[in-house]
């Protein structure tokens, strides 16, 4: 796989790309149509920026307004190496932290560019009116996040994602009002259309009327977010899905390392079968909260009755230099290890404690309330527990997808004219994403990268004229979409789509979750195949082809089966442990991950072949860092 | 617990709707209100009936997609809580619950409990932004502003756009929504330049969308999941009057 990385020293690659990228003259930009699917940070920033440049943009989302994309839910913050704290931060250090955090499975050039553009993003957001936290003197404040030893995280109380997204959304609405962006809310992309091997449009379903529509363009951008909802119980929103990227995959876009899914260490534990999601408690809580479990198995005492000496602060014990701020994969796995060994807390014994008593006694309750007030309120609403008095119960939950559509340095997939931005792509996070790096990546992709790389592609497409949606390729794609919907509607079974989704989620948690092994993954593949069979026979759908939530769900679950199988296959073929991917067969005697740089220093890039995936490799070349064992001890 | 539910069913915007009655048993109190509706929908499907359409996405109180009138109150019995953050422990065995869509001329019903809130998007499009394009931003720390200003701007900017303020208002006014955005921008040095024009355009759009006038009942602040203060409405009126006097 050729990632088209510009030649030259690492620090000059992006500048050199920008200097040589082809441009489209302003008169021609008006004639070029761009479809952007997704209005999260990646999609909204890309659509707004391209519209500002003069392109005609069509913007799609499945929610009722662009402002609800799941970026809105990010709490903790966004990283940038401004070095405002004078604590030794720099582009190189941020680059290194991210490469190391990703367990040396990301592309150097992309990660460097991410760190480089991070500084600009803060400028951009502040200019839009994002009310980041400030010190009393009026300058921007920072906090620290897992996996690093500097303070480079910018935040807006516990609602950083919301504030960043509103900035991008407002920029988008400004362009909509100016007639440069056409908005299609409550629209779901159901297929990608290729003409002569290039991405030329999409088929959508209007979720309000049921109308199937064709949209043509010169370029299609997918910024459709992560697929963690595949695990059913996750920190994602109900509508998050893999359908857009999966259907593009089936049209020829390769999928990279899909099994690299991050489990967030601090979400609320499951409390019953009816549960529809696991709410995240921001990782920033680990700045002041200490994580522990009872030192004795199956301890029935209330947490406050367990004396200090009988508590096991296992992160501080195992990783003394990072302690409670150990990176996510490590913190999640350590929690699972304790829970599986019988030390879990809570009614279902499926959780660990996150304790603020020390921070409250040192800083006072008011200070803690100012930092995390909304999280404590949310916790109390859901569980009925006051976390100022009693530790929170937390446990790991499916959260972020490092894997996604493979993209080159230009964020273009293996289909010419199809770009993937934000969480939907595989790019910068390697096998594990550092906290507060993904709001950054989504924004940087949309504001600062796509506005160079998309015109570079479009400059070669000036001859083509408008895309004709009467082309047989559109006809065929529309027909296939209609057929699938009809098939679902005619299904006369007794089991709702949610039943299948929950069952799939359980299989994935058990066998392709925080830790994996060969036998388990093989079993998972068999079980997913059987479940998929059952789905097509026993699915129950009521209602008609108009507005119909169940019909939406069925399509998403159908894609999850296929992609779930690929996840397991990907995990099975990677005979090493790296980042979020922990193969039990590959660990040190102390239970730490054992990476295999000799044989697996590559990204697995999968090509669709009717369920028999074909592996391509993108070899990762490290010229600027030395591969080392990722130690946080 | 056992519950009797009366839920608004309406095929589509143009059709007439009516309340329908459903019974549920064995509802645990740690279930969320929306999970209770999920369960009801499962039962309806088993009987071959069309499911009750309602909106939700994040289910953690931040996206603003959920929202319905529950026993006559926007988002249900708790103050400052979205529908998705309402848990069944707020109800008791044997309760009767009424669920209806948010009602306002500017929020037409789409189907059952789903409504169209795109009027809010158009209010933002009319001026709820700083006119800065990508690439124009100066260095972030070049314009310091006080900690208190940032916090106050955040309080206003925290709005999730759910529409509870409109639904609870006897005039179906969008003054809290619009006022909050105007205040957010007016407080910050980055947004101040455009305050007068922004206020006039956003207020004009608000009226065009058939939202009612604010008569200072202040019910909106009670329901608002983000506790947005009605003082922002006063601020909007102040900015509006100032703009009308100085900028016509
Ligand atoms: C609870 C939570 C907390 C987080 N906290 C942080 C944090 O503190 N810091 C950090 O850096 N990162 C955080 N993250 C990660 C980060 O928020 C996301 O990775 C990032 O916001 C993704 O942005 P995006 O634009 O790629 O996708 P999203 O914001 O998810 O947007 C996806 C868009 O695609 C649209 N879409 C999807 N499928 C379709 C389809 N088929 N048809 C049409 N439209 C479609 C949706 O409507 C939506 O508009 C958090 C994530 C979660 C879930
Ligand atoms: S579903 Fe997002 S706020 Fe309720």
């Amino acid at each position: 796989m050729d990632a088209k990385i510009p030649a030259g020293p690492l620090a000059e690659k992006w500048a050199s790309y920008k200097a040589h990228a082809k441009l489209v003259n302003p008169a021609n930009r008006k004639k070029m149509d761009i479809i952007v699917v997704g209005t999260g940070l990646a999609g909204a920033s890309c659509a707004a920026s391209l519209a500002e440049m003069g392109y005609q943009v069509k913007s799609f989302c499945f929610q009722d307004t662009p402002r609800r994309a799941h970026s809105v839910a990010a709490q903790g913050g966004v990283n940038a190496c401004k070095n405002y704290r004078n604590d030794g931060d720099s582009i190189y250090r941020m680059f290194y932290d991210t490469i190391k955090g990703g367990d040396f499975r990301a592309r150097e050039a992309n990660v460097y560019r991410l760190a480089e553009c991070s500084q600009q993003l803060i400028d951009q957001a502040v200019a839009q009116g994002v009310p980041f936290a400030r010190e009393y003197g009026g300058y921007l404040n920072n906090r620290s996040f897992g996996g690093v030893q500097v303070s480079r995280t910018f935040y807006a109380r516990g609602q950083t994602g919301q504030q960043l997204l509103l900035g991008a959304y407002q920029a988008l609405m400004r362009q909509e009002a100016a007639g440069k962006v056409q908005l299609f809310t409550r629209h779901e992309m159901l297929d990608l259309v290729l003409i002569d091997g290039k991405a030329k449009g999409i088929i959508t379903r209007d979720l309000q009327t049921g109308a199937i529509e064709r949209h043509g363009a010169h370029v299609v951008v997918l910024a459709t977010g992560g697929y963690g909802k595949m695990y059913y119980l996750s920190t994602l929103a109900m509508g998050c899905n893999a359908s857009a990227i999966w259907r593009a995959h089936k049209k020829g876009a390769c999928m990279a390392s899909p099994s690299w899914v991050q489990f967030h260490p601090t979400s609320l534990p499951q409390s019953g079968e009816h549960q529809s999601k696991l709410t995240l408690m921001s990782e920033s809580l680990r700045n002041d909260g200490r994580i522990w479990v009872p030192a004795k198995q199956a301890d029935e005492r209330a947490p406050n009755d367990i004396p200090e000496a009988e508590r096991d602060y296992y992160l501080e014990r195992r990783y003394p230099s990072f302690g409670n701020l150990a990176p996510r994969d490590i913190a999640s796995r350590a929690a699972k290890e304790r829970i599986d060994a019988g030390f879990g807390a809570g009614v279902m014994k499926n959780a660990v404690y996150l304790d603020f008593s020390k921070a409250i006694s040192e800083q006072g309750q008011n200070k803690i309330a100012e930092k995390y007030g909304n999280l404590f309120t949310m916790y109390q609403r859901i569980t009925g527990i006051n976390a100022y008095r009693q530790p929170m119960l937390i446990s790991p939950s499916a959260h972020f997808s490092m894997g996604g559509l493979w993209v080159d340095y230009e964020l273009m997939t293996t289909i010419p004219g199809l770009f993937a931005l934000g969480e939907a792509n595989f790019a910068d996070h390697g096998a594990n994403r550092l906290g507060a790096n993904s709001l950054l990546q989504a924004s940087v992709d949309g504001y600062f990268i796509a506005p160079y790389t998309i015109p570079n592609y479009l400059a070669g497409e000036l001859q083509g004229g408008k895309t004709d949606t009467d082309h047989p390729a559109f006809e065929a794609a529309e027909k296939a979409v209609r057929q699938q919907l009809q098939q679902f509607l005619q299904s006369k079974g007794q089991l709702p789509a949610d039943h299948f989704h929950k069952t799939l989620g359980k299989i994935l948690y058990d066998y392709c979750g925080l830790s994996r092994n060969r036998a388990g993954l093989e079993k998972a593949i068999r079980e997913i195949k059987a479940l998929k069979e059952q789905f097509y026979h026993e699915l129950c759908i009521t209602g008609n082809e108009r507005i119909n939530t169940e019909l939406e769900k069925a399509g998403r679950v159908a894609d999850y089966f296929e992609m779930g199988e690929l996840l397991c296959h990907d995990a099975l073929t990677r005979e090493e442990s790296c980042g979020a991917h922990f193969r039990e067969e590959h660990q040190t005697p102390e239970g730490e991950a054992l990476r295999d740089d000799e044989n697996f220093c590559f990204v697995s890039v999968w090509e669709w072949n009717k369920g028999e995936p074909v592996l391509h490799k993108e070899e990762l070349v490290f010229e600027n860092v030395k591969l080392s064992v990722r130690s946080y001890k | 617990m056992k519950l009797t539910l009366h839920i608004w069913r309406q095929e589509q915007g143009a059709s007439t709707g009516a309340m329908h009655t459903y019974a549920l048993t064995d509802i645990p109190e740690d279930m969320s209100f929306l999970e209770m509706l999920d369960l009801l929908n499962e039962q309806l499907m088993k009987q071959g009936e069309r499911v009750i359409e309602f909106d939700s996405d994040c289910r953690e109180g931040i996206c603003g997609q959920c929202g319905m009138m529950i026993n006559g109150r926007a988002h249900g019995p708790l103050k400052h809580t979205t529908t998705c953050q309402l848990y069944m422990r707020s109800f008791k065995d044997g309760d009767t619950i009424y669920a209806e869509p948010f009602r306002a001329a500017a929020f037409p019903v789409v189907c059952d409990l789903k409504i169209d809130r795109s009027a809010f998007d158009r209010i933002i499009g009319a001026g709820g932004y700083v006119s800065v394009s990508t690439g124009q931003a100066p260095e972030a720390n070049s314009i310091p502003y006080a900690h208190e200003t940032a916090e106050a701007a955040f309080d206003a900017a925290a709005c999730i756009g759910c529409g509870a303020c409109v639904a609870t208002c006897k005039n179906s006014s969008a003054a809290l929504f619009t006022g909050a955005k105007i205040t957010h921008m007016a407080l910050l040095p980055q947004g101040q330049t455009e305050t007068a024009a922004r206020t006039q355009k956003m207020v004009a759009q608000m009226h065009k969308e058939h939202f009612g006038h604010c008569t200072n009942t202040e019910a909106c602040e009670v329901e608002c999941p983000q506790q947005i203060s009605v003082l922002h409405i006063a601020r909007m009126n102040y900015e509006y009057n100032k703009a009308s006097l100085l900028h016509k």
Side-chain angles (χ1 to χ4, degrees):
Chain A
M1 306 293 303
D2 178 14
K4 293 194 281 188
I5 297 169
L10 187 63
E12 285 160 32
K13 286 184 193 293
W14 182 229
S16 140
Y17 178 89
K18 289 194 286 187
H20 298 108
K22 285 180 253 156
L23 302 176
V24 176
N25 86 44
N28 281 333
R29 290 180 210 162
K30 292 202 279 282
K31 298 182 208 150
M32 313 230 67
D33 301 315
I34 299 176
I35 285 175
V36 181
V37 189
T39 59
L41 266 173
S45 60
C46 171
S49 302
L50 291 168
E52 286 161 7
M53 293 164 77
Y55 295 98
Q56 290 296 337
V57 178
K58 283 182 166 187
S59 158
F60 296 81
C61 66
F62 65 74
Q63 292 92 346
D64 68 335
T65 143
R67 66 183 288 160
R68 310 208 199 284
H70 202 50
S71 292
V72 80
Q75 302 166 348
V78 58
N79 285 337
C81 52
K82 285 283 201 183
N83 194 30
Y84 286 159
R85 286 301 181 89
N86 196 27
D87 54 3
D89 205 0
S90 66
I91 296 177
Y92 183 85
R93 187 173 295 277
M94 182 168 178
F95 153 76
Y96 184 78
D97 286 342
T98 305
I99 286 275
K100 176 185 171 198
D103 215 357
F104 303 93
R105 289 292 175 265
R107 202 183 283 153
E108 276 191 343
N110 281 56
V111 175
Y112 195 88
R113 177 176 63 184
L114 179 74
E116 201 177 334
C117 295
S118 70
Q119 305 180 335
Q120 241 180 310
L121 173 70
I122 302 304
D123 302 343
Q124 173 76 15
V126 167
Q128 288 173 339
V130 171
F132 284 126
R134 293 195 174 243
E135 294 171 342
Y136 285 95
Y139 293 102
L140 288 154
N141 203 351
N142 292 111
R143 56 166 61 137
S144 48
F145 242 53
V148 302
Q149 288 170 316
V150 295
S151 255
R152 67 161 74 100
T153 307
F154 293 77
Y155 63 100
R157 233 173 276 171
Q159 299 174 204
T160 315
Q162 181 205 25
Q163 293 306 314
L164 283 172
L165 182 64
L166 290 179
Y169 156 75
Q170 286 159 196
L172 181 70
M173 294 315 296
R174 173 173 164 238
Q175 294 307 313
E176 201 257 356
K180 297 303 293 176
V181 171
Q182 234 184 316
L183 260 189
F184 296 86
T185 58
R186 293 204 200 265
H187 271 65
E188 182 159 26
M189 166 181 161
L190 292 183
D191 210 354
L192 175 75
V193 182
L194 267 55
I195 298 178
D196 299 332
K198 291 179 179 169
K200 289 288 180 180
I202 58 174
I203 306 291
T204 59
R205 178 164 177 270
D206 180 334
L207 302 180
Q208 193 159 320
T209 62
I212 306 294
E213 298 164 5
R214 303 174 185 185
H215 298 276
H218 295 89
V219 153
V220 177
V221 179
L222 299 185
T224 51
Y227 51 82
K229 185 72 192 167
M230 187 186 293
Y231 288 77
Y232 193 74
L233 286 176
S234 78
T235 61
L236 283 101
M238 303 311 287
C240 289
N241 64 85
S243 292
I245 59 168
W246 187 252
R247 293 178 190 205
H249 175 61
K250 289 174 82 171
K251 283 285 170 86
C254 287
M255 192 70 79
S257 293
S259 71
W260 291 349
V261 174
Q262 179 170 77
F263 292 78
H264 199 289
T266 56
S267 93
L268 297 190
Q270 184 180 10
S271 67
E273 283 306 313
H274 52 262
Q275 206 153 323
S276 56
K277 82 162 287 167
L278 297 176
T279 302
L280 181 79
M281 290 285 121
S282 168
E283 168 161 277
S284 60
L285 290 171
R286 290 202 274 146
N287 272 307
D288 287 301
R290 297 177 73 201
I291 294 177
W292 61 276
V293 290
K296 184 166 108 212
Q297 279 168 327
D299 196 328
E300 293 298 334
R301 285 175 293 179
N304 289 342
D305 295 339
I306 301 180
E308 212 39 48
E310 293 171 47
R311 300 176 174 191
D312 176 14
Y313 294 89
Y314 58 87
L315 284 177
E316 297 172 18
R317 168 169 61 78
R318 283 180 68 178
Y319 306 101
S321 72
F322 279 71
N324 294 298
L325 288 175
R328 291 185 178 169
D329 52 340
I330 290 180
S332 290
R333 214 151 45 230
K336 182 177 156 61
E337 189 274 329
R338 286 290 84 188
I339 292 168
D340 288 351
F343 296 91
V347 191
M348 290 173 77
K349 296 280 174 248
N350 59 351
V352 300
Y353 292 119
L354 179 62
D355 196 330
F356 294 90
S357 53
K358 183 151 177 266
I360 290 172
S361 69
E362 283 170 6
Q363 305 170 35
Q365 181 165 328
N366 285 345
K367 191 75 204 165
I368 297 299
E370 187 187 310
K371 288 196 223 174
Y372 316 109
N374 65 323
L375 297 170
F376 279 62
T377 310
M378 177 148 88
Y379 185 78
Q380 182 151 24
R381 238 180 237 148
I382 298 174
T383 61
I385 295 170
N386 177 348
Y388 293 107
R389 302 232 178 85
Q390 201 178 313
M392 288 183 180
L393 280 168
I394 53 158
S395 84
S397 162
H399 177 58
F400 180 84
S401 21
M402 280 77 72
L405 289 178
W406 183 87
V407 289
D408 60 21
Y409 189 73
E410 299 191 288
L411 306 183
M412 188 149 84
T413 66
T414 48
I415 298 177
L418 180 71
F419 290 77
L421 272 55
E423 197 175 334
N425 71 18
F426 168 83
D428 304 353
H429 308 295
N432 172 56
R433 184 214 14 139
L434 286 186
N437 259 359
S438 87
L439 287 176
L440 174 69
Q441 180 235 333
S443 311
V444 162
D445 283 2
Y447 284 121
F448 304 127
I449 301 176
Y452 283 94
T453 63
I454 290 178
N456 186 56
Y457 170 80
L458 283 173
E461 297 293 308
L462 293 171
Q463 265 68 47
K466 289 262 172 205
T467 296
D468 174 18
T469 54
D470 290 330
H471 189 282
F474 276 93
E475 199 131 331
E478 181 183 326
K479 195 167 153 219
V481 163
R482 286 186 187 279
Q483 268 169 355
Q484 191 196 35
L485 292 169
Q486 273 315 313
Q487 186 189 3
F488 290 144
L489 283 169
Q490 282 158 8
S491 182
K492 288 279 168 289
Q494 275 296 309
L495 295 168
D498 275 348
H499 163 83
F500 292 99
H501 194 170
K502 286 181 189 176
T503 315
L504 172 69
K506 187 149 184 347
I507 298 174
L508 291 171
Y509 261 106
D510 286 349
Y511 303 116
C512 196
L514 277 160
S515 88
R516 298 124 185 226
N517 63 51
R518 171 162 289 277
L521 288 163
E522 283 169 350
K523 183 160 180 225
I525 293 176
R526 283 194 304 276
E527 287 188 3
I528 294 172
K529 281 194 201 305
L531 190 65
K532 184 168 126 191
E533 234 350 81
Q534 192 196 15
F535 172 81
Y536 282 103
H537 288 106
E538 294 182 39
L539 172 70
C540 167
I541 289 204
T542 56
N544 55 28
E545 72 290 339
R546 266 194 66 245
I547 195 166
N548 190 343
T549 313
E550 291 301 315
L551 192 55
E552 296 166 27
K553 287 185 191 167
R556 293 171 189 160
V557 174
D559 293 332
Y560 282 147
F561 286 137
E562 295 180 353
M563 187 157 169
E565 239 185 277
L566 183 63
L567 249 71
C568 295
H569 190 74
D570 181 50
L572 190 60
T573 48
R574 185 164 283 273
E575 293 282 357
E576 66 160 350
S577 293
C578 62
H581 171 68
F582 186 79
R583 279 288 297 269
E584 290 158 15
E585 297 92 330
H586 305 286
Q587 54 179 311
T588 65
E590 301 87 55
E592 302 297 338
L594 207 55
R595 220 176 53 216
D596 179 354
D597 293 330
E598 195 136 328
N599 298 303
F600 287 94
C601 198
F602 62 82
V603 179
S604 306
V605 186
W606 299 100
E607 184 189 334
W608 169 254
N609 176 33
K610 301 198 174 65
E612 299 293 331
V614 179
L615 176 66
H616 303 272
K617 293 178 184 173
E618 181 195 341
E619 299 290 345
L620 293 167
V621 184
F622 293 93
E623 291 168 341
N624 301 276
V625 301
K626 216 169 103 259
L627 272 72
S628 62
V629 175
R630 184 165 153 258
S631 168
Y632 292 91
K633 284 195 183 285
Chain B
M1 64 182 87
K2 248 167 114 164
L3 298 169
T4 307
L5 294 151
H6 298 285
I7 297 178
W8 183 261
R9 302 300 307 262
Q10 179 172 347
E11 203 55 47
Q12 45 187 301
S15 44
T16 42
M19 298 300 276
H20 285 231
T21 306
Y22 306 93
L24 273 180
T25 51
D26 296 327
I27 299 298
E29 58 170 35
D30 63 354
M31 188 178 238
S32 77
F33 188 86
L34 295 182
E35 285 162 358
M36 183 271 294
L37 288 183
D38 290 341
L39 190 77
L40 174 59
N41 274 343
E42 258 182 49
Q43 296 191 2
L44 292 181
M45 276 195 279
K46 288 214 172 94
Q47 296 154 15
E49 276 186 56
R50 179 172 76 73
V51 296
I52 298 159
E53 292 291 341
F54 63 91
D55 266 325
S56 82
D57 201 32
C58 75
R59 295 209 176 176
E60 54 180 271
I62 191 68
C63 76
Q65 173 115 342
C66 64
M68 57 186 84
M69 301 302 281
I70 299 169
N71 290 340
R73 282 188 68 177
H75 289 310
L78 301 183
K79 279 195 283 190
H80 313 310
T81 303
T82 57
T83 303
C84 62
Q85 291 293 88
L86 176 64
Y87 280 73
M88 296 313 289
R89 69 177 74 89
S90 293
F91 299 90
K92 55 183 195 313
D93 189 34
D95 271 0
T96 299
I97 301 175
Y98 292 82
E100 291 173 83
F102 281 174
R103 299 206 187 269
F107 288 168
V109 172
V110 168
C111 179
D112 298 340
L113 303 171
K114 281 189 173 170
I115 53 165
D116 176 353
R117 283 166 291 199
S118 55
F120 273 5
D121 289 331
R122 291 186 291 272
I123 292 177
I124 297 296
Y129 47 76
V130 177
S131 298
V132 57
S133 296
T134 305
Q136 292 177 324
E139 153 59 41
N141 254 349
S142 60
I143 312 171
Y145 55 83
H147 171 82
E148 293 77 9
T149 308
E151 295 297 309
F154 180 95
D155 286 338
C159 167
I160 60 173
C162 63
C165 49
V166 174
T168 201
C169 174
K170 61 179 193 240
N171 308 317
S172 301
S173 165
L176 191 64
F177 172 82
T178 312
K181 186 48 65 187
I182 288 171
T183 305
H184 162 208
M185 298 271 155
L187 283 172
L188 301 179
Q190 289 79 6
Q192 268 157 16
T193 322
E194 296 174 271
T195 300
R198 173 185 305 120
T199 308
Q200 288 180 321
K201 285 191 278 186
M202 289 179 74
V203 169
Q205 189 65 34
M206 184 170 84
H207 292 154
K208 213 164 121 190
E209 300 287 349
H210 302 294
F211 288 107
H213 283 273
C214 169
T215 49
N216 294 314
T217 309
E218 303 184 5
C220 49
E221 181 180 315
V222 179
E223 299 302 359
C224 175
Q226 295 287 331
Q227 309 189 36
I228 309 264
S229 160
V230 290
L231 289 177
H232 300 322
I233 301 179
R235 173 96 193 206
M236 170 173 73
N237 292 336
Y238 164 76
E239 297 292 355
Y240 186 77
N241 289 331
K242 198 165 82 174
S244 309
L245 283 171
L246 301 178
H247 290 262
K248 269 270 159 74

